[in-house]
Amino acid sequence: MSSQKIGAPPFKGNLLDRALAYVAPARALERHRARVALAASGAWAGARFDRAALQRWWAPDGSADVNLLGDLPTLRKRSRDLARNAPIAVGALATVCTNVVGTGLMPLPRVDRDALGLREAEADAWEREAGRIFALWADSAECDAARTHRFVELQELALRSTLENGDAFAIRRNFARDGSPFALKLQLVEADRVCNPSNRPDDATLRGGIARDSYGAPVSVHITDRHPADFSGPAVKWTEIKVFGEQTGRRRVFHLYRALRIDQGRGVPYLAPVVETLKQLSRYSDAEVMAAVLNACFAIVTKTDGADGIGAAESGAGDSKGDPLSLIDAGQIVDLAPNESIEGFTPARPSAQFDAFVLALLRQVGMALELPFEVLVKHFTASYSAARAALLEAWKFFRARRAWLARGFCQPLYEEVLIEAVARGWLAAPGFFDDPRAFKAWTGAAWVGPPPGQIDPGKEADAAATMVAHGWKTDSEVTAELTGGDWEVNAGQRSKEIRIAREAGFPPTNPTGQAAALPAQQPAPNQDGTDTENA
């Protein structure tokens, strides 16, 4: 038999524990068990409640929609207010829109000619014609159901609305209209208009105005006929629109938002993490500006023992107590009466630490918005390396947003334009409607937009030339990155310029100082349109 003693060790605790054990043993035992369980609750310090910094930290629990949808209306309103009145918020939104969209994202059609069995000349001709047809739709306000914006402007409006409100909706409409070459129209819908009918509570299948199936896929959206807070008039009416066409299965409603959690049905405003900081910072800046204005206006104060003040021009205004204010003109000479004196008025505002404090806060704001401090405040005073590093970091974010906009908004509409063009017979595309693989091969496109700025164009051009020479990048990639252009279009234009310059007697030179060579003459095609070389 083991000689180990059976029983628990004697109870130990502080004075309160021992006193409680004497008068109420059961309560003392419960207290002891709770303390032991708390001490052994886990190895994560962030989950403890026995530390002063964590005792009152009660984080809400729930799904993405439970934690978001109740706060979303307030977040939208405050985000829009900051976008109107807070300079930092205005600048951040403008910076993102300018660099992501700028002058617009346009497609460079790129068909998969190997999958389609096309020769290079045939693929090039088809791509050029597809580009012309898309430009016919995109460069006219007829692409907008409201006949107001061109496609470039719709891109910026959709992006800005998504940033301010958290999400935006675009509805594909198809109807004929005089003066419009396409039936395809696009209608943008602000986030507030998508909500539950009659403002009924969210449930398992309808949340935030979007009905979903058992897998979480969107089935339909409920849209009001106008903004819920719009002008007074008839009661707001809701219309249910199917997300996918019942006959074609093609998407009719495009929901633009970025999900931060699984099963998140609506988007979070871009400024949401810094709403409070930006508002407080705006108030602080206003207070400092007002202090500077008051300091400039009230340079001196007067003290007198008599009933009359010094002889200065009366402003006619009064303070909060109704007493008249005496404002003294600059450079005025005043005769003082007996027992009168003038003392300087030197307030402690504006604070000498104002700039340092604001910059420290803006660094935190920049981290939350994925905008380096230098880019957020447009302040490049550091070294070339630091400025370039800030721009490169910012362009990681801009390119990610640009790719998101191209995938979810631009490319689907490009495909819709091609669908109508092929259906009308404007483009010949065998297998376009029958084979999903052929459809993918015909509708390929690369979306390019304004390039990033260049701090030192010479160094960046040399680096680009080195990458092309080693095969790390192509001429097309470099052209898109440095200028946002199309290398094939540039090559044709350069060939024309070289030929005209030589005919005029001014041969252009390349960087080595030698006359640039004209491209080799291509064999003329046969009369039947086939390529002579490959016939």
Side-chain angles (χ1 to χ4, degrees):
M1 172 181 274
S2 173
S3 61
Q4 183 179 2
K5 292 183 179 181
I6 300 176
F11 173 76
K12 295 181 180 180
N14 55 31
L15 181 61
L16 178 61
D17 293 328
R18 291 194 294 272
L20 189 61
Y22 182 78
V23 299
R27 181 70 181 87
L29 180 60
E30 182 182 352
R31 174 183 172 90
H32 178 66
R33 287 174 177 171
R35 293 178 64 180
V36 171
L38 185 64
S41 60
W44 294 98
R48 301 184 61 160
F49 287 92
D50 58 339
R51 297 185 178 182
L54 304 176
Q55 285 179 353
R56 298 184 179 180
W57 186 358
W58 300 102
D61 189 19
S63 66
D65 286 343
V66 167
N67 289 343
L68 172 63
L69 295 180
D71 294 335
L72 195 51
T74 301
L75 286 175
R76 286 191 193 125
K77 289 183 286 188
R78 290 178 176 177
S79 175
R80 287 195 288 255
D81 183 71
L82 290 173
R84 289 189 297 261
N85 300 306
I88 298 299
V90 174
L93 293 173
T95 297
V96 175
C97 290
T98 298
N99 287 278
V100 173
V101 175
T103 56
L105 307 184
M106 295 304 294
L108 298 179
R110 293 289 184 265
V111 301
D112 188 345
R113 58 188 182 92
D114 292 335
L116 297 172
L118 299 177
R119 289 176 297 183
E120 182 176 352
E122 294 173 332
D124 290 345
W126 199 95
E127 290 171 350
R128 286 192 296 270
E129 186 61 21
R132 294 188 191 102
I133 291 176
F134 182 78
L136 178 64
W137 179 82
D139 291 345
S140 169
E142 292 298 327
C143 69
D144 182 9
R147 276 186 163 177
T148 304
H149 304 291
R150 297 179 303 152
F151 185 55
V152 168
E153 296 153 356
L154 291 174
Q155 292 175 25
E156 181 178 2
L157 191 57
L159 176 61
R160 181 177 292 275
S161 183
T162 302
L163 294 175
E164 286 189 14
N165 303 320
D167 54 8
F169 294 82
I171 304 176
R172 173 176 60 84
R173 304 287 192 181
N174 291 85
F175 57 87
R177 185 160 56 188
D178 292 342
S180 178
F182 290 87
L184 176 64
K185 307 290 186 297
L186 189 66
Q187 179 187 8
L188 293 184
V189 176
E190 197 167 39
D192 304 60
R193 292 180 56 190
V194 178
C195 52
N196 293 349
S198 303
N199 297 314
R200 69 185 234 196
D202 295 318
D203 55 41
T205 59
L206 178 63
R207 287 173 288 178
I210 303 176
R212 300 179 181 274
D213 63 15
S214 59
Y215 292 99
V219 175
S220 62
V221 297
H222 297 265
I223 303 176
T224 59
D225 56 351
R226 63 181 188 277
H227 193 284
D230 211 341
F231 307 105
S232 60
V236 174
K237 297 181 180 179
W238 279 263
T239 301
E240 182 179 9
I241 299 180
K242 299 295 183 181
V243 175
F244 298 92
E246 297 180 354
Q247 296 180 351
T248 64
R250 303 203 314 269
R251 182 177 286 270
R252 296 181 58 201
V253 179
F254 303 96
H255 186 189
L256 304 177
Y257 79 107
R258 296 187 71 193
L260 304 179
R261 290 182 59 184
I262 296 174
D263 295 330
Q264 179 181 325
R266 300 298 299 266
V268 181
Y270 177 57
L271 301 176
V274 293
V275 162
E276 182 179 5
T277 302
L278 289 178
K279 186 60 178 178
Q280 296 286 55
L281 187 58
S282 180
R283 287 172 175 168
Y284 177 46
S285 300
D286 292 342
E288 291 292 340
V289 170
M290 182 57 67
V293 172
L294 294 176
N295 189 22
C297 292
F298 298 96
I300 61 174
V301 296
T302 64
K303 295 172 59 179
T304 179
D305 292 336
D308 299 327
I310 59 178
E314 296 292 336
S315 68
D319 59 15
S320 60
K321 297 180 293 183
D323 298 330
L325 297 175
S326 296
L327 303 178
I328 300 178
D329 294 334
Q332 183 177 2
I333 299 176
V334 179
D335 294 329
L336 297 179
N339 298 323
E340 291 182 345
S341 65
I342 296 180
E343 297 181 2
F345 178 64
T346 56
R349 319 304 306 175
S351 171
Q353 302 301 320
F354 171 78
D355 193 57
F357 177 70
V358 170
L359 295 183
L361 285 181
L362 290 182
R363 287 186 173 90
Q364 298 183 35
V365 171
M367 287 188 293
L369 301 182
E370 295 189 74
L371 295 178
F373 166 77
E374 295 86 350
V375 177
L376 178 64
V377 299
K378 306 296 191 296
H379 187 71
F380 298 92
T381 58
S383 63
Y384 167 83
S385 299
R388 178 171 172 76
L391 287 174
L392 290 176
E393 191 66 24
W395 268 91
K396 293 179 184 178
F397 169 67
F398 297 145
R399 286 193 176 96
R401 284 283 182 167
R402 180 177 290 183
W404 165 83
L405 184 65
R407 287 193 304 266
F409 184 71
C410 299
Q411 178 65 24
L413 292 171
Y414 172 72
E415 294 173 2
E416 290 295 330
V417 171
L418 294 189
I419 287 173
E420 183 169 348
V422 173
R424 289 173 177 264
W426 295 350
L427 284 173
F432 190 87
F433 295 110
D434 303 326
D435 188 347
R437 296 171 299 177
F439 180 86
K440 177 68 175 177
W442 284 115
T443 57
W447 290 86
V448 297
Q454 301 176 29
I455 300 178
D456 191 331
K459 290 182 179 179
E460 298 192 21
D462 292 340
T466 301
M467 290 184 180
V468 172
H470 285 278
W472 300 332
K473 284 188 176 181
T474 66
D475 286 321
S476 296
E477 290 176 325
V478 170
T479 302
E481 291 175 2
L482 294 184
T483 68
D486 185 344
W487 183 85
E488 293 186 14
V489 174
N490 292 352
Q493 181 64 24
R494 283 293 296 144
S495 176
K496 177 181 177 181
E497 292 172 351
I498 292 172
R499 183 175 64 255
I500 294 176
R502 284 186 172 178
E503 291 173 355
F506 300 99
T509 58
N510 59 25
T512 63
Q514 300 175 350
L518 281 171
Q521 292 291 330
Q522 298 296 325
N526 289 339
Q527 295 299 324
D528 59 0
T530 59
D531 194 312
T532 304
E533 192 175 66
N534 299 321

